Each structure stands twice: as structure tokens, then as C-alpha cells.
């Protein structure tokens, strides 16, 4: 039996809002962005999730225009206040460019933190030099002292950090995060393992272990269709089980990454893949992986 679900990584978009070119689309030349924004609203999500028991969602910033970095958080709070989330409990991870000057960063963080559903910030770090399809970030922010200082400001405002990066970036990030134990870190998409050679998997594994050594870090398993060819339950099984082995069942959450992952599978198939892969786990472990960890880590109201 599939446990109740808190979906720890979803995106809602309304084309009437301003968005950047989307990093979750790739053109025929391997360049990201440029696709027309398609509507994906709470009612669309609810229809996709009709045959699974979703009891809450974590909304991750969906590349709203950087000219108004708090606009999306305001919009989501308006949806929740107006009861337009189709009854789904909601928490929000917003956007801030942490490489901006400190005063600008503080103003943005303060505005996000002032809204009660806000839990954290995401600023995408994914970058593989020489591969345009894998350069989702403008530059290697981990080498930028201004960005590192901006990251350190999150704790002042009680905000978490949603970390989207690749495995080879995890060790340098972990060194920074170790200096800020007051900033909870939620690694997205199991660091999107993209190099499936023995060497590539070892880089990924080493990075995952470096982050897992920090007790204030956890991981979400989702989005593997982006980097694991020919998504199936079998193709993701080893990555799912190894991630759980590295972080433990108390620091792993599952997520759909919808609507991005609609190109790889439907919602029911994704959740039933997680169900099948964890079939040998105890019921309490499965409840934790499917909902209880996300409820605790993202501080959902009782």
C-alpha cells in the first residue's frame, strides 16, 4: 500500500506571470531555456495526482522573472489565502540571487521571510564546464566570495537552502555549509547523477557522502529523468537505494518534480516506482520517506 505523500518538489506556473527562460527545457542544440511557459496550476497538479494520496506540497521557485524575486512568493501566498491550492497544504521555497550586494540580498531575504509559508531559498548552482546542456547556472558561484557571503545571510532570516547542484560540486559546497550549521540544506534531485561511468558514479558517491556528513543536510529523490537515460523503475533503482543508504531513512524525501518530469513519466508511475523500490522497508521507514521527513524538515503545520 502506498503511504500518504508530501510531494517535496513541485512547480506551479501561470503564463500571466513573468518568467525567465526555463532551465528545465533544452533546445535541439543543447541550450537551456527559451520554451514558451505552459500553465501548470494547483488544479492541474491535483488532476495529475488524482490516484495518489498527496497531503501537502513544497513549491520550489519556478524561474519567475529576476526583476521581481519576491513576486512568486507573494503570488503563492495569494493562492493559499484565496484557497486556490485545491486544499493542499503548501510551503514555499523562493528565489534570491545570493551573488548580489549584501544590502540587496538582505532586502530580498527579509521580504521572503516576512511571509508565513516561506521556508527557504533556491539559487541553482548546476554547472559542468564545456557542456551547455549541463550549465544551468550563470557561473560557478561556489568560487564567488560575494555569493558565499550571501549564502551566510540565510541563517539571519531563519531560511533554509534548497541545493540544486551536481555531485562534483558537493564537496566544495559541504565545506561552505559546514561553516553555517544554522542553515538547513535540502539537496534536490539526488544531485542529478549524469555521468554513469564508474568514475562518474564514484564522484557522485563521494560528494553525496561529504554532504551527508553534515547533520543539517538532507536529500530529495526526484528529477532523475533529466539525467538517467530511459527512465524506468529499474534504471533509477540503484541511485534511489544508494542515496537512502548514504543519508539514512530519516533524511530522505521523495518528490515528483512535476510538471518537469511529465516528459518522462506520469505521476502515478513515479510514486509507484518509489513504492516498489522501497517495498522491503518497514512501514515506519516508508512513511518517513513518503511524507514524515518532508513534514518535519520543511516545518509543515500540524
Amino acid at each position: 500500500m502506498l503511504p500518504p505523500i508530501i510531494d517535496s518538489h513541485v512547480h506551479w506556473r501561470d503564463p500571466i506571470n513573468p518568467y525567465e527562460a526555463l532551465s528545465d527545457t533544452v533546445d535541439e542544440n543543447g541550450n537551456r531555456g527559451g520554451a514558451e511557459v505552459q500553465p501548470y496550476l494547483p488544479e492541474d497538479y491535483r488532476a495529475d495526482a488524482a490516484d495518489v494520496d498527496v497531503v501537502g506540497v513544497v513549491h520550489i521557485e519556478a524561474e519567475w522573472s529576476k526583476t521581481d524575486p519576491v513576486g512568486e512568493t507573494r503570488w503563492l501566498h495569494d493562492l493559499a489565502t484565496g484557497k486556490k491550492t485545491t486544499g493542499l497544504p503548501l510551503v514555499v521555497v523562493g528565489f534570491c540571487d545570493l551573488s548580489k550586494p549584501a544590502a540587496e540580498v538582505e532586502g530580498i531575504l527579509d521580504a521572503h521571510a516576512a511571509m508565513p509559508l516561506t521556508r527557504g531559498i533556491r539559487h541553482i548552482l548546476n554547472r559542468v564546464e564545456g557542456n551547455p546542456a549541463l550549465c544551468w547556472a550563470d557561473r560557478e558561484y561556489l568560487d564567488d566570495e560575494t555569493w558565499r557571503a550571501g549564502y551566510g545571510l540565510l541563517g539571519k532570516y531563519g531560511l533554509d537552502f534548497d541545493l540544486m547542484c551536481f555531485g562534483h560540486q558537493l564537496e566544495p559546497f559541504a565545506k561552505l555549509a559546514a561553516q553555517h550549521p544554522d542553515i538547513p540544506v535540502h539537496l534536490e534531485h539526488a544531485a542529478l547523477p549524469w555521468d554513469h561511468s564508474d568514475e562518474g558514479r564514484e564522484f557522485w558517491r563521494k560528494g553525496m557522502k561529504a554532504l551527508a556528513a553534515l547533520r543539517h543536510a538532507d536529500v530529495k529523490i526526484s528529477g532523475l529523468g533529466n539525467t538517467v537515460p530511459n527512465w524506468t523503475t529499474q534504471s533509477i533503482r540503484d541511485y534511489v537505494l544508494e542515496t537512502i543508504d548514504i543519508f539514512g531513512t530519516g533524511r530522505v524525501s521523495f518528490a515528483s518534480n512535476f510538471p518537469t518530469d511529465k516528459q518522462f513519466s506520469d505521476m502515478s508511475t513515479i510514486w509507484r516506482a518509489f513504492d516498489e523500490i522501497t517495498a522491503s522497508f518497514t512501514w515506519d521507514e516508508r512513511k518517513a520517506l513518503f511524507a514524515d521527513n518532508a513534514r518535519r524538515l520543511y516545518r509543515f503545520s500540524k
Side-chain angles (χ1 to χ4, degrees):
M1 181 174 68
L2 192 66
I5 292 162
I6 289 182
D7 192 341
S8 60
H9 197 108
V10 305
H11 307 289
W12 293 334
R13 295 184 178 116
D14 188 331
I16 68 171
N17 297 326
Y19 294 92
E20 302 285 338
L22 305 182
S23 70
D24 56 12
T25 60
V26 182
D27 68 17
E28 64 275 10
N29 298 313
N31 298 309
R32 293 193 168 268
E36 182 178 348
V37 174
Q38 299 298 316
Y40 195 74
L41 293 163
E43 55 267 31
D44 302 309
Y45 175 87
R46 181 66 91 175
D48 282 337
D51 62 350
V52 293
D53 182 17
V54 177
V55 296
V57 297
V58 181
H59 187 283
I60 306 300
E61 64 91 13
E63 299 185 75
W64 190 281
S65 172
K66 304 306 187 283
T67 62
D68 182 17
V70 189
E72 184 177 45
T73 299
R74 288 194 298 267
W75 174 64
L76 291 164
H77 277 75
D78 287 345
L79 287 181
T81 301
K83 302 188 185 304
K84 296 178 181 178
T85 65
T86 65
L88 285 169
L90 168 71
V91 297
V92 176
V93 173
F95 171 80
C96 179
D97 182 344
L98 299 175
S99 70
K100 297 293 186 182
E104 184 176 343
V105 169
E106 291 212 54
I108 295 168
L109 297 183
D110 185 51
H112 280 298
M115 288 178 268
L117 299 178
T118 305
R119 295 296 181 266
I121 293 296
R122 177 172 82 156
H123 190 189
I124 292 174
L125 303 184
N126 295 63
R127 192 164 184 83
V128 175
E129 294 297 339
N131 190 331
L134 294 175
C135 286
W136 302 357
D138 295 334
R139 58 185 183 276
E140 183 51 86
Y141 287 109
L142 289 169
D143 294 334
D144 183 335
E145 288 303 323
T146 303
W147 189 91
R148 293 165 68 88
Y151 176 84
L153 291 170
L154 292 169
K156 178 178 178 180
Y157 295 93
L159 294 169
D160 304 359
F161 186 67
D162 249 62
L163 170 62
M164 185 167 163
C165 74
F166 293 124
H168 68 279
Q169 296 173 295
L170 284 172
E171 284 194 278
F173 177 84
K175 291 177 181 177
L176 172 64
Q179 301 171 27
H180 301 282
D182 58 327
I183 304 173
V185 176
H186 312 299
L187 174 62
E188 298 180 351
H189 309 320
L192 287 167
W194 63 273
D195 182 348
H196 308 292
S197 68
D198 290 345
E199 182 182 22
R201 291 194 68 145
E202 185 53 35
F203 266 116
W204 173 82
R205 188 176 297 117
K206 187 177 179 183
M208 293 287 278
K209 289 179 178 178
L211 189 68
L214 305 180
R215 298 309 301 174
H216 61 290
D218 58 83
V219 60
K220 298 185 286 188
I221 301 177
S222 59
L224 293 174
N226 281 284
T227 52
V228 178
N230 305 314
W231 187 101
T232 64
T233 301
Q234 194 58 37
S235 72
I236 69 169
R237 181 184 297 273
D238 287 349
Y239 283 116
V240 171
L241 291 175
E242 189 161 6
T243 297
I244 296 171
D245 183 58
I246 291 169
F247 278 83
T249 56
R251 289 193 292 154
V252 176
S253 304
F254 292 143
S256 71
N257 193 36
F258 260 49
T260 305
D261 274 30
K262 289 187 75 167
Q263 62 189 301
F264 308 116
S265 188
D266 62 83
M267 182 84 74
S268 178
T269 299
I270 287 172
W271 287 107
R272 296 191 190 286
F274 293 142
D275 185 34
E276 178 182 327
I277 291 168
T278 61
S280 65
F281 289 42
T282 70
W283 179 245
D284 284 346
E285 288 171 332
R286 282 158 51 77
K287 282 177 55 187
L289 293 164
F290 281 87
D292 291 350
N293 291 339
R295 181 180 291 112
R296 181 186 79 256
L297 294 164
Y298 281 100
R299 304 183 296 283
F300 277 79
S301 300
K302 296 292 185 181

